[in-house]
Amino acid sequence: MSWQTSNVEDWLKPLKISPIKLCSFVRQLSATYSDLALHSTDQFLATPITRLPTGHETGEYLTIDLGGTNLRIAFVTLLGSSPDAPTGRPEGPTNKLAHERKAHLFTENVRKSHGRSWLIDEHLKVEKAEDLFAWVGDCLAEVVEARFFHATSDQIPNEIPLGITFSFPMMQSTITEATLMPMGKGFTITSNPDLGGMVLRGYERYTKPHVKDSKRMSKGQPKLRIAAIANDAVATFLSLAYSTRAMLHSKTVIGLILGTGCNAAVCLKVEALGFSKRPADWTVSDHPMLVVNTEWTLRGTTPALCEFDMITPWDKTLDEESHNPGFQPFEYMTAGAYLGEIVRLVLLDTYTNFLHIRRNRLPSALLQRQAVTTSFLAHTVATTNDPETLAGRLRNTQGFEESEDWTWTVELCAVLMNVERLVLRRSAAMIAAAILALLLTSGDIVVEDFHGPNTTTRSLVDLPDPVGQLVVAYCGGLICLYPGYKEQTQAFLDTILHDITQKPQLRVVLQEASEGGVIGAGVLSALQ
């Protein structure tokens, strides 16, 4: 059939981004980031973090990581690193094994124990903030009780330092205080509660004597002390910076979250931020650099997306039907919470308006919002290159079953596979472009004919070897678990970086920061 090749490719052309457009988009996005750093009130938010870990910090900390889908809690013990530990080399064909062995060695300076994970029920996302944090307090109490279940009374501390990672925008003036901003990711909490106070109040009843819910500690559980609060991207950044600090010729430059949502953290010069964002008592001479939570997917990036005609009609439909239209257009095009829905919208439009199939013939999943999930795509579609195999899988999948009016033909499955591939490829390309744009803004990479207001050569001086790598610490289900996604993103990074710099000796490398949220909260607690 003629539509299955060139015609359908033309129909889906809005999802494709040419290499030339990507390079131009990187430069425009970097200029946008520089402007947002100076002027935006809800993006490029300063944190009170002015130094990175040395890798020698030690201590045990209770940590929580509250994300868009899951709550994770664990005890994290930092063991420090030996001054005579072997140094690493950049990854390459001749030393890849050594690099992997080195990465394994550095994971040994962190211990995680009594870790638990809970799925956040949808009703908790839409109820009062007090209800959400009362549930968080219940979960904290479970982990604390498990940690000290076999301890004698003299082994139980009076107070436990708590590090908090929170996957939503917040304003901070000190490392132990944070005020929540509008949340997104399906959460409708609109108040501006004090995050640390809400967590402590949710747990507080377990510190009272003879609490019925506490099975072991009749005198009450230990009190908690807020040691540090960080955004998830900041925590991921710090976790890998801690674990790889001693590696030569490598520098951790970005913390990337790419799962349900998407965000990044980076170090910027203080003067890159508007005066209203800088702490009042700070001077550039005392604190020349600080870690910034970019919130890079919020509406401030819309002009750049529009200038390069990257927002398709399908993206506009998803945005209009979202909880908060216009809030985070870049995230709607890249993050795991939305890619399945984009695929559904493209398929629905393609089947009905291009192939002229009546809506009442289509499987129910294609007609229902959010019925096609990114998880479904990862497990069912992305794991096969054969349309016949996919047809067999779909016939046995709820919501996609065949009927008298619908049969999954090879041609229809090929369309689905093509849409999935293009949507995920576009996401990977946009993430790679955003990473490089952020590194241009921070000055970690320099392009001779690009004169952004905040670029310097500082990071190249930090890389003494002619071969150097800038490390992007990543965490999140989409980039960690979706088949081929991380590899596609790395390929786009390599291609675009070469095209804009013509310096093949410099690489931007993606490296997983496993459990970055919980470990990073512990690392930040140790810095205080």
Side-chain angles (χ1 to χ4, degrees):
M1 301 175 68
S2 60
W3 57 261
Q4 101 185 63
T5 52
S6 60
N7 290 348
V8 75
E9 289 293 330
D10 288 342
W11 176 265
L12 298 174
K13 195 172 182 179
L15 292 171
K16 301 177 182 179
I17 309 175
S18 70
I20 294 176
K21 179 185 281 191
L22 274 176
C23 290
S24 299
F25 180 60
V26 166
R27 296 171 188 240
Q28 180 57 48
L29 201 55
S30 178
T32 298
Y33 288 159
S34 295
D35 183 71
L36 292 172
L38 287 171
H39 304 295
S40 174
T41 58
D42 56 7
Q43 292 181 261
F44 285 78
L45 307 173
T47 74
I49 305 168
T50 59
R51 65 186 180 95
L52 296 180
T54 64
H56 301 297
E57 292 83 1
T58 60
E60 182 184 42
Y61 305 91
L62 176 62
T63 65
I64 72 174
D65 179 8
L66 182 62
T69 303
N70 297 293
L71 168 68
R72 297 178 177 89
I73 301 179
F75 277 88
V76 170
T77 302
L78 306 179
L79 304 174
S81 57
S82 170
D84 59 352
T87 56
R89 300 287 300 176
E91 184 173 336
T94 60
N95 55 19
K96 184 175 181 180
L97 182 61
H99 176 82
E100 291 173 348
R101 185 179 298 115
K102 180 65 176 175
H104 172 70
L105 287 172
F106 273 109
T107 62
E108 294 182 353
N109 66 352
V110 178
R111 293 280 187 272
K112 183 172 75 75
S113 66
H114 301 89
R116 290 283 310 277
S117 178
W118 295 263
L119 186 68
I120 303 173
D121 289 341
E122 291 302 314
H123 74 89
L124 291 171
K125 299 180 180 183
V126 299
E127 293 179 356
K128 295 185 298 182
E130 290 80 3
D131 296 326
L132 172 64
F133 288 103
W135 172 74
V136 171
D138 295 339
C139 298
L140 277 167
E142 286 186 36
V143 173
V144 171
E145 186 164 346
R147 166 65 177 84
F148 297 105
F149 188 81
H150 296 291
T152 59
S153 58
D154 61 332
Q155 293 174 323
I156 300 175
N158 293 323
E159 186 178 72
I160 302 172
L162 173 67
I164 300 173
T165 293
F166 198 64
S167 302
F168 302 91
M170 53 191 174
M171 297 295 293
Q172 287 188 267
S173 58
T174 71
I175 206 63
T176 59
E177 297 175 313
T179 300
L180 301 186
M181 299 169 66
M183 296 172 65
K185 300 179 189 175
F187 286 78
T188 58
I189 296 173
T190 56
S191 59
N192 299 312
D194 164 35
L195 176 57
M198 295 290 288
V199 172
L200 293 181
R201 285 190 290 276
Y203 172 82
E204 187 177 23
R205 70 181 185 277
Y206 289 95
T207 66
K208 309 297 183 184
H210 305 291
V211 175
K212 181 176 66 175
D213 295 16
S214 180
K215 300 180 179 66
R216 284 268 308 161
M217 301 179 186
S218 59
K219 294 183 179 180
Q221 293 193 1
K223 293 182 178 181
L224 302 181
R225 171 180 58 84
I226 304 297
I229 300 174
N231 177 270
D232 55 349
V234 172
T236 297
F237 184 16
L238 294 175
S239 72
L240 197 64
Y242 176 81
S243 297
T244 62
R245 186 66 174 175
M247 294 180 70
L248 293 178
H249 318 300
S250 292
K251 176 185 175 184
T252 302
V253 288
I254 286 178
L256 171 67
I257 298 296
L258 190 51
T260 304
C262 178
N263 193 20
V266 69
C267 273
L268 289 182
K269 296 184 295 181
V270 171
E271 58 261 38
L273 298 172
F275 286 102
S276 64
K277 297 184 179 185
R278 306 178 196 177
D281 57 344
W282 283 20
T283 64
V284 173
S285 58
D286 291 336
H287 303 291
M289 304 289 296
L290 76 169
V291 177
V292 172
N293 166 28
T294 67
E295 297 297 339
W296 66 356
T297 67
L298 298 188
R299 68 188 85 217
T301 56
T302 302
L305 295 172
C306 293
E307 179 175 341
F308 287 88
D309 198 26
M310 298 177 76
I311 301 177
T312 70
W314 306 303
D315 298 309
K316 292 177 182 177
T317 299
L318 185 148
D319 180 69
E320 291 165 358
E321 296 177 349
S322 68
H323 289 295
N324 197 349
F327 180 59
Q328 45 193 12
F330 194 98
E331 182 151 319
Y332 298 151
M333 301 168 72
T334 56
Y338 310 102
L339 297 182
E341 179 65 2
I342 293 177
V343 168
R344 186 191 72 84
L345 291 169
V346 177
L347 275 179
L348 179 61
D349 192 29
T350 303
Y351 286 160
T352 57
N353 293 321
F354 179 73
L355 300 181
H356 305 294
I357 300 171
R358 295 194 310 273
R359 288 176 63 97
N360 60 5
R361 290 183 53 197
L362 298 177
S364 61
L366 298 184
L367 303 175
Q368 181 181 344
R369 286 189 65 237
Q370 306 297 335
V372 178
T373 65
T374 305
S375 177
F376 160 79
L377 296 176
H379 291 97
T380 305
V381 183
T383 52
T384 180
N385 292 317
D386 178 23
E388 288 191 12
T389 300
L390 178 58
R393 293 179 179 180
L394 293 173
R395 293 182 189 114
N396 297 305
T397 302
Q398 185 176 359
F400 294 87
E401 303 96 332
E402 293 185 337
S403 65
E404 293 181 359
D405 295 321
W406 182 261
T407 300
W408 282 106
T409 65
V410 169
E411 292 81 6
L412 291 171
C413 287
V415 172
L416 169 53
M417 292 171 62
N418 197 15
V419 171
E420 179 272 339
R421 178 180 62 84
L422 289 173
V423 168
L424 271 294
R425 181 177 174 83
R426 182 184 68 161
S427 170
M430 292 177 66
I431 292 298
I435 289 170
L436 294 175
L438 193 56
L439 293 178
L440 279 174
T441 302
S442 68
D444 285 295
I445 60 175
V446 178
V447 178
E448 291 181 3
D449 62 345
F450 179 80
H451 302 290
N454 302 314
T455 55
T456 71
T457 58
R458 63 178 175 84
S459 64
L460 297 183
V461 175
D462 291 340
L463 298 169
D465 194 281
V467 178
Q469 64 181 17
L470 305 176
V471 179
V472 177
Y474 70 82
C475 190
L478 180 62
I479 192 169
C480 291
L481 301 176
Y482 200 99
Y485 188 95
K486 179 254 183 181
E487 291 74 17
Q488 283 197 79
T489 308
Q490 184 65 64
F492 277 117
L493 282 171
D494 294 341
T495 300
I496 303 170
L497 182 63
H498 177 269
D499 288 347
I500 65 175
T501 66
Q502 301 296 316
K503 293 181 179 180
Q505 72 272 22
L506 178 65
R507 253 197 116 199
V508 176
V509 179
L510 296 168
Q511 183 170 334
E512 183 177 1
S514 180
E515 300 281 2
V518 292
I519 293 173
V523 172
L524 184 55
S525 298
L527 289 177
Q528 305 316 304

